[in-house]
Amino acid sequence: MKNLPRASIPTAEPFVLASGSPRRAELLRSAGYEFEICPASDSAECGVDYPETASEMVARLAFQKAVEVVRRRKGSFILAADTLADCNGKILGKPTDRDHAESMLRLLSGREHDVYTGVCLWSTGSDRCYLDVVRSRLKMDLLSDETIQRYLDTERWKGKAGGFGYQDDNDWIHVIGGDSESNIVGLPMERLAELLEKFDSLADKVYKSIH
C-alpha cells in the first residue's frame, strides 16, 4: 500500500512491534517507521471463559500480547495488534489448515462481514497505555467452487483471519464500510497515526500488578 500516514513516536523509547506478522511489519515499513520486532508468544493469544464479541476479543488479545512483550522489553514503546473477522456473529481467526480455510471462505461467500483490529500502544517508561478497536465492513462475491479451490491452492490463506488476504489482489472482495484498507490487512495505519499523535492525552496509567 502507498501513501500510508506516519506519525512520530511520542517517547524516546525504541519502537517495538509485538507481532510476528509480516503484513504488519510491511505496513509499518511502507509508512517509514523504524522499529524492532519482538513477537508475543502463542500463549498470549489464548484464554477466554466468557462469551465475547469480535470487538471485545481483538481488544483483549491485543492487550494480552502487549502485556507479554512489555514484561520482556522494558524501556520500549510497544505496539501490539490482533485482527479477526466476524460473519453473522461467527468469529473467524486464522485457519488451522486448508479444510478450515475452505469452510471459512464458504461461510463468507456471497455475504457481508466485518473485520476488527485491536491496537494497543504502551510506553513502558511511563507505564501508560491506550487500547482501541477499528472496524471495516466487507462484501465477498458469491464464489464458485473453482475460485475457492484456486485460491486455496495459492496457500495465501495461511495466517490470515477469515482465510483470505485483502492484499492478495482478489477482485471478489469489496470494502463497503470503514475508511481503512490497511485495517483489513492487519493494522489500521490511519488510526495508528492518530493514536501516536494523541497518545499523551489518551493514555492511562497501567496497574503495576501486570508487570
Side-chain angles (χ1 to χ4, degrees), residues 70-193:
V70 163
R71 289 170 173 156
R72 291 187 276 127
R73 288 298 306 260
K74 303 296 185 181
S76 300
F77 189 85
I78 308 294
L79 163 62
D82 194 83
T83 302
L84 294 170
D86 182 327
C87 183
N88 295 335
K90 186 175 180 59
I91 298 175
L92 306 177
K94 300 172 185 176
T96 55
D97 54 30
R98 181 185 174 113
D99 289 343
H100 193 197
E102 180 175 351
S103 70
M104 290 182 176
L105 290 174
R106 292 193 183 280
L107 172 65
L108 296 169
S109 176
R111 294 186 174 94
E112 295 181 10
H113 70 280
D114 296 308
V115 172
Y116 294 90
T117 298
V119 177
C120 186
L121 294 174
W122 196 314
S123 167
T124 63
S126 63
D127 278 316
R128 300 169 70 230
C129 81
Y130 188 75
L131 183 62
D132 196 35
V133 175
V134 176
R135 168 183 172 269
S136 300
R137 185 111 179 131
L138 305 181
K139 172 67 182 294
M140 184 178 289
D141 292 343
L142 188 63
L143 305 181
S144 66
D145 288 343
E146 180 183 2
T147 297
I148 291 174
Q149 296 306 321
R150 185 166 59 244
Y151 182 69
L152 292 172
D153 287 343
T154 69
E155 297 193 341
R156 292 180 176 179
W157 49 268
K158 290 185 175 180
K160 296 173 181 174
F164 71 92
Y166 177 77
Q167 68 275 26
D168 292 340
D169 296 324
N170 299 313
D171 59 5
W172 33 266
I173 295 289
H174 313 283
V175 180
I176 59 174
D179 57 2
S180 177
E181 290 188 343
S182 61
N183 181 55
I184 304 162
V185 179
L187 194 59
M189 299 301 291
E190 300 84 359
R191 184 57 176 157
L192 174 62

Side-chain angles (χ1 to χ4, degrees), residues 63 120-124 126-131 198-208 210-211:
F63 183 77
C120 186
L121 294 174
W122 196 314
S123 167
T124 63
S126 63
D127 278 316
R128 300 169 70 230
C129 81
Y130 188 75
L131 183 62
K198 300 176 180 178
F199 182 80
D200 287 338
S201 61
L202 293 174
D204 293 320
K205 197 74 174 178
V206 184
Y207 291 111
K208 293 287 186 181
I210 65 98
H211 295 295

